[in-house]
Every structure is written in structure tokens, then in C-alpha cells.
Amino acid sequence: MAMDYRPMWRDLGLNLDNHDALLSVLGKLYGDTFLTQPNRPAGTAYLDFVMSEVHGLRIQELVEGKKRGRKVVGTYCTFVPEELVLAVDAVMVGLCAGADFATEAVERYLPRNLCALIKSTFGFKLGGVCPYLESSDLVVGENTCDGKKKAWEVFRGIVPNLHVMDLPQMKHGEGRALLKAEYLRFMETLERLTGNRVTVESLAKAIDVVNAKRQAVHRLSALRAADPAPISGLDSLLVNQIFFYEDPVRFTAQINALCEELEARVRTGAGVAGKGAPRILVSGCPMAVPNWKIPALVETSGAVIVAEESCVGERGTRNLVPRTGATVEEMVDHLVDRYLRIDCAIYTPNPDRLAHVKEMARAYRVDGVLLYGLQFCTPYAVEALGIEQVLEGEGIPALRIETDYSQEDVGQLKTRIQAFIERIGS
């Protein structure tokens, strides 16, 4: 970062010593993980720039927008409809939850044996190192699991501007009605926050913006079906991570430009790994920045990740929202139908997720599926066992991995991943 953003960070209330330490670690990790990759497309320079300014220029944009009266809504989950946020002329950003921080302080509020993602949410707040959180006029938590549901009760005492969104556990009529009621309640909260009303016109425009963003990601995903893959799994994951906090219009333009380069690569047979390199689908828990441990281990072991069945991946982005509807309520119905199709492991039963994993395995011509779970994330851990059995039964090799955000298990994980790649490559 060329500019001195420290006055801005101080005004936001960040702990500058902690924040300096975080950026130092993050910068080195990014350089070691991403900038050492061979044969990167030139368009990934956009990703490098975004990450170099991840706590700088983008935060400055948010702060300047707030001075003009634009509100910032921070979220942790793909169930929060960005369309409603944009329809009241607010900005939605994903919040920090991908690394351990202030662990000792966190464990004064939460038990040790809670999933790393929830503990990270608290750690970034207690450590004073997330400028996105400190910029947010409204923070949205969602009841996607029992751990989060109870954690929000505690978080409310630390983050007063918290809106908790309840979510259905089953996709029947009553579940749909609950989701619609929650989206209408969220819309009312947004209208009170901003003083702006959601109209048919503003919601249609917002749907167009978010659909365009998803379509750009779909375009990139389709290109990854090529052999050799034109872009790495690491860079593709980064695209999906940036999806949550970059300006949506700029993101769409830049990813479409990257896709034009990738299309040329596919035509000429250029790729990030050799033709015939083992192809991996990663399925399971979301990976927030800077959680790059598993993809880095896979891709430095001779394989390439060609798809992610994840909330930070195709599960979260694959369906569009129709922009039709004569009233706002009719358009909210379209939002509900779209978001209800997300195959999160909170749903029971959840056969659509298994069907989607199998569909992706065929579409991306994968050689094996890596079922990724965070320790103590019960919904995904339980589903992983059944999915593994079905995939193996159908001749698709699968490997279940549970880990956290630490580096302590890297050696053990690398050994298991290398053995899996040898198995599917033989």
C-alpha cells in the first residue's frame, strides 16, 4: 500500500499494533502462496491489487461513501441477500473470519472446542483488526448452526449494531415462509437504517447488478472444465472470496476481462498445470480470506483444483434471481426461491447437495473429491461421511479432511493429500 492509511484505521478504532502484525503476516502469506504460482494469467494482477489494498483503498471507498450518507452492511453468510442491500443504496461487504486472532481473548467468551470460523469472527473484533467490521453501520449474523446461534447472543454485547437473521432448517412450505418473513424483516431494518424505500425499480436494478456478478463467476467456472485448467484453484478461490467485499460493478468488469484471457488460453491449450494433471473438486465448509491452507497443499502437490462446492464457490453463486414482478413482494418471492436453493448443510434432509456434488464431479471431469470440514462443524462433518460413501460407491475417489486455521497439522495433511493424489493419478 503506497498511501498511509493509519489515520483512517485509527479513526475507525483499530488496534494499530495488532493490525500491523496482521498485515505483516497476511502480506507474506499472500506472497508465498499466490505470487510463487507458475503460469498465472496476467489478469490475476487485478487480484493482487485488490489484496494489496484489502485494508486500504477499499476501506477508504467505504469511508468516503459513508461521508456522503451511504450505509455499510457487514455480513458473514451467503444467505444475506445483497440485492436488498443495494436496493436501499447501501453497500454490502463480507466480514473477517478466516484466521485465528486474539485467541486468548476469544476463549474468555467462547469454548475452546468451537469451530474456527466462529472463533475467528470474535477474534477479529476483540483484536481490533477488521476495518470492514468497524466500518459497518449494520452487522448481520445468521442462524446457520447452533454454534453461531448461541455465539450471536454473546456477540451482541460486543457489537451493538447486530441484526440476527433466523433461517429455516427444512425446505418445506413453513421453511419458505420463515425465510420470506426474515427477508421482509431485514428489508424493513435496511429501510430504517438508510431512510430509503425498496421500490420495484431499485430492486430490479440491484438484481441486475448481483446477477451480472454471478454470471461473471459462472463464466469463469465453465472455463475451468478445460484440460489443462487455465487458472489455478487458488486464484479461483480468491475470485470467490473477493466476490464478497469488492465493488460489484468493478468486480464484474474485471472478472469478465480475466475470462477473455482465459478463453484465449483454452483455445491455445495453455494452462497452470500440465494436461492430464489430477483434477480435484473441493466440497464442504466455506474458506474465508486468508484460509488458503488446503488449496495450497493440493496445488503444490501436483494436482489442480477445478471447482469448489462451497458457500465461497458454486453453492453460493450458482443460481440467478428473475428480475420480474409487479410488486416488491413478488420480487422478494423470487429472492426467497433463489436463496432457499442454497444447499447449506443446515438443511435436513439435504439430498440436493449430494446431487450437486455429483453433477459438479461430472461437469468438471474431476478425478477426486476432497471433502473439507472445519473441526467442530457438525453439519458438514456428518454429511461428509455419507457423501464419501456414495462417491466411492460410484467410483469417484473421495478424501475427508477436518482441520482448523492453525498450521500445526500441515505436515500430516500434506502426507494425506499427496497419498490421495497418487491414488487418483495412478
Side-chain angles (χ1 to χ4, degrees):
M1 285 178 284
M3 286 190 61
D4 179 11
Y5 295 110
R6 291 176 68 85
M8 176 180 71
W9 295 332
R10 187 181 296 109
D11 290 344
L12 287 172
L14 297 190
N15 181 316
L16 294 186
D17 290 339
N18 287 349
H19 191 245
D20 286 347
L22 174 70
L23 291 190
S24 174
V25 172
L26 183 61
K28 183 176 188 314
L29 177 63
Y30 187 82
D32 292 346
T33 305
F34 286 87
L35 303 184
T36 57
Q37 296 180 96
N39 307 321
R40 290 183 86 201
T44 55
Y46 161 67
L47 308 179
D48 297 339
F49 177 75
V50 171
M51 287 306 298
S52 72
E53 292 286 345
V54 65
H55 283 195
L57 184 59
R58 182 61 179 141
I59 300 301
Q60 186 179 56
E61 289 178 343
L62 297 178
V63 169
E64 290 175 354
K66 285 162 66 75
K67 290 177 181 174
R68 298 192 298 271
R70 202 172 188 199
K71 301 297 185 183
V72 177
V73 177
T75 74
Y76 292 101
C77 181
T78 194
F79 274 104
V80 181
E82 186 175 8
E83 294 89 343
L84 290 179
V85 176
L86 294 179
V88 293
D89 194 32
V91 183
M92 191 168 102
V93 291
L95 298 177
C96 316
D100 292 330
F101 208 90
T103 303
E104 186 175 336
V106 171
E107 291 178 355
R108 295 192 201 110
Y109 291 85
L110 299 173
R112 295 185 66 184
N113 56 344
L114 194 63
C115 92
L117 190 147
I118 299 174
K119 292 175 71 173
S120 176
T121 298
F122 277 63
F124 274 89
K125 174 59 184 175
L126 295 171
V129 291
C130 181
Y132 291 92
L133 179 59
E134 305 306 335
S135 300
S136 295
D137 299 289
L138 182 74
V139 175
V140 185
E142 76 309 317
N143 292 342
T144 43
C145 68
D146 287 348
K148 278 191 171 182
K149 185 165 58 182
K150 302 309 292 182
W152 300 138
E153 295 175 8
V154 183
F155 206 47
R156 189 181 296 281
I158 306 170
V159 177
N161 53 339
L162 179 67
H163 174 97
V164 176
M165 180 181 290
D166 201 10
L167 293 175
Q169 309 291 291
M170 301 179 77
K171 294 184 177 181
H172 48 35
E174 290 80 1
R176 185 188 182 285
L178 170 61
L179 189 59
K180 181 176 180 180
E182 286 297 290
Y183 280 2
L184 290 173
R185 186 171 69 90
F186 180 51
M187 186 173 76
E188 292 172 1
T189 299
L190 292 171
E191 289 178 335
R192 284 196 300 273
L193 176 73
T194 63
N196 298 327
R197 300 280 299 186
V198 174
T199 66
V200 170
E201 292 75 20
S202 70
L203 188 49
K205 183 179 178 182
I207 288 171
D208 287 344
V209 169
V210 183
N211 277 347
K213 186 166 74 160
R214 293 190 184 113
Q215 286 171 317
V217 174
H218 297 172
R219 183 179 174 188
L220 185 145
S221 296
L223 290 163
R224 297 171 70 193
D227 184 14
I231 186 170
S232 70
L234 271 166
D235 280 320
S236 301
L237 172 63
L238 191 56
V239 168
N240 281 297
Q241 291 173 332
I242 288 173
F243 181 97
F244 285 94
Y245 55 83
E246 183 39 333
D247 174 83
V249 174
R250 181 170 58 216
F251 173 89
T252 300
Q254 291 289 337
I255 299 306
N256 277 323
L258 174 62
C259 287
E260 290 176 11
E261 181 187 358
L262 300 185
E263 286 162 356
R265 282 189 150 212
V266 171
R267 285 194 297 272
T268 60
V272 292
K275 186 176 177 63
R279 301 165 64 84
I280 302 285
L281 163 66
V282 175
S283 170
C285 289
M287 296 178 180
V289 171
N291 181 10
W292 304 310
K293 180 168 67 174
I294 296 299
L297 289 174
V298 170
E299 298 201 322
T300 55
S301 298
V304 60
I305 296 171
V306 294
E308 299 82 19
E309 190 280 316
S310 165
C311 294
V312 185
E314 194 162 311
R315 185 192 310 136
T317 60
R318 66 174 169 150
N319 298 308
L320 303 180
V321 179
R323 72 188 308 279
T324 57
T327 66
V328 168
E329 184 165 351
E330 286 179 16
M331 300 175 82
V332 170
D333 278 327
H334 293 321
L335 290 177
V336 171
D337 290 338
R338 186 264 167 198
Y339 282 88
L340 197 64
R341 295 174 66 189
I342 296 172
D343 301 324
C344 177
I346 61 162
Y347 286 116
T348 180
N350 194 24
D352 293 346
R353 179 167 171 240
L354 172 60
H356 187 212
V357 171
K358 292 164 63 177
E359 174 190 322
M360 291 181 70
R362 285 191 297 271
Y364 296 100
R365 299 183 286 169
V366 308
D367 299 301
V369 178
L370 195 155
L371 297 162
Y372 163 74
L374 284 169
Q375 287 177 352
F376 311 114
C377 179
T378 304
Y380 281 99
V382 172
E383 285 197 353
L385 183 59
I387 292 173
E388 178 189 37
Q389 292 169 348
V390 171
L391 293 177
E392 290 281 357
E394 297 186 7
I396 303 172
L399 174 67
R400 277 184 295 127
I401 280 182
E402 282 192 32
T403 184
D404 54 22
Y405 291 161
S406 76
Q407 298 297 307
E408 295 175 358
D409 58 355
V410 164
Q412 182 187 59
L413 290 172
K414 190 172 183 67
T415 299
R416 293 185 63 204
I417 288 169
Q418 287 177 335
F420 182 62
I421 291 171
E422 286 179 13
R423 175 189 167 201
I424 65 178
S426 61

